[in-house]
């Protein structure tokens, strides 16, 4: 069976991200999955649980201090050597950027934001705010496909991967954009927004940065991530990296809770593919109710604290 | 410092966007300047005010794309370049990067600025594709840009905070909408924009064969597309004192609590 490369999203701090296991699950339907890990730890056990036959380990030296260019060079060399049937990457900013560089280096077709990948390498994409579903295929080169996190349920398929260290030979052109400092502004136990199975988001109706504590409280009680609408971000209530929708993140959790969010199409662009959507808004005409599986028309400052109390009671 | 700003005309994201029968973006409806590009233009104008030089817009698109150029020119850039050719519609990102890179080679830019994404494709690959072709640095996702001589520094927004990234010019930078507040074009700016030079370049001018671009040269193709069935609204209850409890009852029934 042809080899399929999965570019891992994994780090010493975060471990193997769920999207990596989703990619492995999809890759198994196409061929024999190999995972490329950038870093010093191969995560062989975890990746093996989900069917990785091989792990290529590319050490962090010469890669970590630069933006994506060195990773693309290492991957391009590997792809030229093993000629995989397809390459899967996560549909994160970095995953897409690496894929973009690979597409140029290899003159290969690129399909981003896939929500499903078929055994023949065709991909399903949700475009235009999730309003249009597209089936597409690559016509030239190695299919490069980025998979949107939370698109499928990872399933285990035990294997014992062979770990193969990769020689990292990057060029001067890969060392042009140097990362000189990494600053953590916000750290916590909450899951990452695009990976989370539950997302609780606040909008303009939350009213202030202080009141976002209410959104955070409900998120923590549900074990979810916190998101924000653009209106809330533009009003300075919450930082931009948590923005859901156009010009922000696209999420696809099992449960999306929209608090004080009207549901403009630009917001729906980022959450429309959520499995279950719940909304609280005081305006019964708010468009968010058109796509909510359950809605409460009411004052979120009354409804949310009551809901929080009720969850604590049931815990 | 000579700055080139990449701009794009896109279907209005507030409208009903579609693909045409051949699977390419339907551009026949309401089109607008890609919103994120306004932030890129604003950043270029601020850098120009501080460091001098020129600001030139670059776009690739059909005849109507000139509307987006005029809109952006009204903010204050000096000139624009419009790559237009009958062979271009339907071009994939790989081909688009080939065309834009060829145009950039004629423009001698110290800095290329783009919005972090376009609202139609949202692919986010163009800065790195161009950097790969031109052999220059790509610094993406900036929320702050600082230039000191030939040294360029950005704050790059990340999930947990930001990274400080440096490079020497020439370089490509992409910016998020957190970076500035774009100015509104003045009446004078709008009038002046009508007279600003818009130079048209064809594929022949750039030495690119028609077969390398467009639907014919695309590296990927759409096999099928369909409107996603609209989500149907579920139950909505009015809060009459127990809205929070009702909400948790629903979440419990769905096994989220």
């Amino acid at each position: 069976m042809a080899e399929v490369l999965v570019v891992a999203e994994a780090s010493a701090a975060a471990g193997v991200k769920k999207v990596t296991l989703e990619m492995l699950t999809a890759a198994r339907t196409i061929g024999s999955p190999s995972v490329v890990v950038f870093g010093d730890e191969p995560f062989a056990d975890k990746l093996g649980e989900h069917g990785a036959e091989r792990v290529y380990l590319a050490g962090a030296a010469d890669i970590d201090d630069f933006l994506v260019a060195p990773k693309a060079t290492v991957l391009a060399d590997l792809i030229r050597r093993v000629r995989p049937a397809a390459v899967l990457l996560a549909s994160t900013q970095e995953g897409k950027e690496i894929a973009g560089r690979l597409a140029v280096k290899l003159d290969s077709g690129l399909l981003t934001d896939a929500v499903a990948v078929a055994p023949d390498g065709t991909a399903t994409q949700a475009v235009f705010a999730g309003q249009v579903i597209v089936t597409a295929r690559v016509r030239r080169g190695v299919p490069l496909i980025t998979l949107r996190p939370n698109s499928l349920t990872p399933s285990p398929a035990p294997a014992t991967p062979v770990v193969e260290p990769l020689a990292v030979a990057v060029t001067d052109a890969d060392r042009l954009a140097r990362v000189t400092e990494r600053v953590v502004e916000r750290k916590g136990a909450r899951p990452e927004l695009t990976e989370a199975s539950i997302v609780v988001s606040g909008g303009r109706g939350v009213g202030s940065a202080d009141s976002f504590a209410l959104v955070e409280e409900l998120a923590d009680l549900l074990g979810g991530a916190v998101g924000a609408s653009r209106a809330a971000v533009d009003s300075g209530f919450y930082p931009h990296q948590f923005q859901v929708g156009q010009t922000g993140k696209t999420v696809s959790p099992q449960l999306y809770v929209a608090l004080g969010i009207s549901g403009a199409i630009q917001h729906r662009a980022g959450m429309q593919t959520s499995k279950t959507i719940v909304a609280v808004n005081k305006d019964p005409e708010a468009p968010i109710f058109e796509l909510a599986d359950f809605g409460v028309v009411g004052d979120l400052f009354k409804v949310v604290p009551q809901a929080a109390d009720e969850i604590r009671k049931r815990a | 410092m000579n700055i080139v700003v990449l701009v794009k005309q896109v279907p209005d994201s507030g409208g009903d966007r579609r693909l045409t029968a051949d699977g390419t973006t339907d551009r026949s409806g309401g089109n607008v300047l890609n919103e994120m590009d306004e932030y890129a233009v604003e950043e270029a104008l601020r850098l120009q005010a501080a460091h001098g030089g020129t600001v030139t817009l670059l776009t690739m698109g059909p005849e109507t794309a000139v509307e987006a150029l005029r809109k952006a020119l009204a903010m204050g850039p000096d000139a624009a370049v419009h790559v237009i050719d009958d062979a271009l519609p339907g071009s994939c990102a790989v081909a688009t990067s080939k065309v834009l890179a060829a145009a950039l080679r004629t423009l001698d830019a110290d800095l290329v600025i783009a919005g972090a994404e376009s609202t139609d494709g949202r692919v986010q690959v163009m800065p790195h594709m161009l950097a790969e072709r031109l052999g220059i640095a790509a610094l993406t996702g900036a929320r702050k840009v600082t230039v000191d001589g030939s040294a360029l520094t950005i704050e790059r927004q990340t999930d947990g905070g930001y990274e400080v990234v440096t490079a020497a010019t020439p370089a490509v930078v992409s910016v998020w909408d957190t970076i500035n507040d774009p100015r509104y074009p003045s009446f004078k700016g709008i009038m002046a924009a009508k007279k600003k030079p818009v130079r048209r370049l064809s594929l022949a001018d750039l030495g690119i064969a028609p077969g390398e671009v467009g639907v014919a040269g695309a590296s990927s193709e759409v096999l099928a597309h369909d409107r996603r069935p609209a989500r149907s609204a579920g139950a909505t209850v009015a809060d009459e004192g127990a809205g929070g409890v009702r909400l948790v009852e629903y979440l419990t029934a769905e096994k989220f609590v």
Side-chain angles (χ1 to χ4, degrees), chain A:
Chain A
M1 244 193 330
E3 197 167 351
V4 179
L5 287 185
V6 170
V7 181
E9 291 266 320
S11 65
V16 177
K17 290 193 183 172
K18 186 167 144 247
V19 68
T20 305
L21 308 180
E22 294 179 51
M23 290 191 282
L24 266 171
T25 303
R28 295 203 309 262
T29 69
I30 305 172
S32 168
S34 299
V35 183
V36 182
V37 176
F38 290 100
D40 298 318
E41 196 190 329
F43 301 106
D45 291 349
K46 185 79 179 167
L47 297 170
E49 279 171 26
H50 287 79
E53 304 277 353
R54 188 176 287 271
V55 175
Y56 296 104
L57 188 64
D62 238 10
I63 290 181
D64 258 9
D65 289 346
F66 305 94
L67 294 187
V68 301
K71 291 184 178 175
T73 292
V74 170
L75 287 168
D77 287 345
L78 179 64
I79 292 165
R80 288 190 192 103
R81 172 156 69 91
V82 306
R83 304 189 167 276
V87 181
L88 303 184
L89 303 100
S91 221
T92 55
Q93 185 178 347
E94 176 169 303
K96 292 200 275 192
E97 289 177 350
I98 294 172
R101 283 199 179 253
L102 286 175
V104 169
K105 282 178 192 287
L106 304 166
D107 192 26
S108 290
L110 161 68
L111 301 171
T112 57
D113 285 312
V115 294
V117 184
D120 65 356
T122 59
T124 306
Q125 301 161 290
V127 305
F128 296 154
Q131 289 170 316
V132 178
I133 299 292
V134 168
T135 311
R137 76 173 179 103
V138 165
R139 290 175 62 197
R140 191 165 72 228
V142 181
L144 305 166
I145 301 170
T146 74
L147 184 74
R148 189 179 280 175
N150 275 336
S151 291
L152 54 100
T153 308
S155 68
T160 307
V162 177
V163 178
E164 180 184 326
L166 277 186
V168 174
V170 302
T171 66
D172 287 345
D174 298 325
R175 298 193 191 93
L176 295 173
R178 179 183 292 274
V179 180
T180 58
E181 196 182 352
R182 290 191 165 89
V183 181
V184 176
E185 290 180 312
R186 216 169 243 269
K187 206 170 162 180
R190 287 191 196 110
E192 201 177 300
L193 186 55
T194 52
E195 290 251 315
S197 55
I198 295 180
V199 174
V200 182
S201 287
R204 195 196 305 272
V206 175
S208 69
D210 288 345
S211 301
F212 248 80
L214 210 59
V215 181
E216 291 178 334
E217 184 189 15
L218 189 60
D220 290 343
L221 283 166
L222 292 169
V226 174
S229 74
R230 184 173 189 180
V233 171
D234 283 353
S235 304
F237 300 169
Y238 222 64
H240 179 260
Q241 57 261 42
F242 297 96
Q243 184 177 312
V244 172
Q246 192 171 292
T247 77
K249 299 259 163 56
T250 300
V251 300
S252 198
Q254 296 294 318
L255 172 65
Y256 188 86
V257 182
L259 304 175
I261 293 174
S262 66
I265 191 160
Q266 288 82 359
H267 184 72
R268 306 206 307 237
M271 46 68 76
Q272 188 137 250
T273 54
S274 304
K275 309 296 177 295
T276 299
I277 297 172
V278 163
V280 179
N281 200 299
K282 65 180 185 214
D283 175 10
E285 304 297 320
I288 193 77
F289 289 124
E290 291 166 16
L291 60 159
D293 298 286
F294 187 79
V296 178
V297 179
D299 180 354
L300 72 92
F301 294 99
K302 293 192 178 121
V303 174
V304 175
Q306 187 183 61
D309 284 343
E310 186 67 18
I311 294 170
R312 276 190 216 95
K313 265 188 232 165
R314 287 169 187 243

Side-chain angles (χ1 to χ4, degrees), chain B:
Chain B
M1 189 168 62
N2 294 325
I3 304 173
V4 173
V5 184
L6 304 181
V7 298
K8 185 180 186 186
Q9 189 186 45
V10 295
D12 187 346
S13 61
D16 187 25
R17 295 177 292 175
R18 292 171 181 277
L19 294 179
T20 58
D22 68 358
T24 59
T25 303
D26 184 350
R27 302 187 187 277
S28 66
N31 291 304
V32 296
L33 171 64
N34 178 48
E35 192 200 331
M36 201 78 85
D37 300 348
E38 295 177 27
Y39 299 84
V41 173
E42 177 64 37
E43 201 58 27
L45 294 172
R46 290 182 188 198
L47 289 170
Q48 182 188 35
H51 303 281
T54 58
V55 175
T56 306
L57 306 175
L58 171 61
T59 199
M60 171 180 130
E63 204 66 58
T64 56
V66 76
E67 297 159 13
L69 286 178
R70 295 288 177 203
K71 172 110 195 286
L73 282 171
M75 291 174 70
D78 303 295
V81 173
H82 183 180
V83 182
I84 179 166
D85 199 290
D86 289 342
L88 284 171
S91 292
C92 66
V94 178
T96 301
S97 71
K98 185 182 284 183
V99 173
L100 292 178
L104 284 169
R105 285 192 189 97
T106 72
L107 292 174
D108 194 27
D110 300 300
L111 188 60
V112 178
I113 307 183
E117 67 180 22
S118 64
T119 55
D120 53 353
R122 299 192 67 192
V123 183
Q124 300 186 348
V125 294
M126 204 47 62
H128 278 282
M129 283 185 160
L130 294 173
E132 183 72 38
R133 290 188 185 279
L134 298 170
I136 63 176
L139 294 76
T140 48
R143 64 178 199 183
K144 185 179 175 191
V145 176
T146 315
V147 173
D148 182 4
S150 65
L152 177 69
T153 304
I154 70 157
E155 280 185 19
R156 178 178 200 260
Q157 192 174 292
T158 61
D159 286 334
Y162 66 93
E163 295 170 342
V164 179
V165 186
T166 63
T169 56
V172 186
V173 169
S174 75
V175 302
W176 281 112
D177 52 356
T178 41
I179 197 164
N180 57 42
D181 290 312
R183 68 197 66 188
Y184 287 105
S186 63
F187 179 70
K188 205 174 136 202
I190 294 167
M191 295 312 287
K194 294 180 181 178
K195 297 193 186 97
K196 286 179 179 172
V198 175
R199 186 156 61 96
R200 288 160 69 106
L201 291 175
S202 68
L203 285 175
D205 293 331
L206 296 174
I208 294 173
E212 297 178 54
V213 299
V215 174
S219 59
S220 58
E221 67 182 337
V222 170
L223 299 173
H225 61 91
D226 204 356
R227 304 289 287 179
R228 190 169 192 271
R231 290 184 78 105
S232 50
T236 302
V237 300
D239 178 31
E240 286 163 352
V245 174
R246 298 287 300 278
L247 179 62
V248 175
E249 283 168 356
Y250 177 82
L251 294 177
T252 305
E254 297 292 317
K255 305 200 182 340
F256 291 116
V257 173

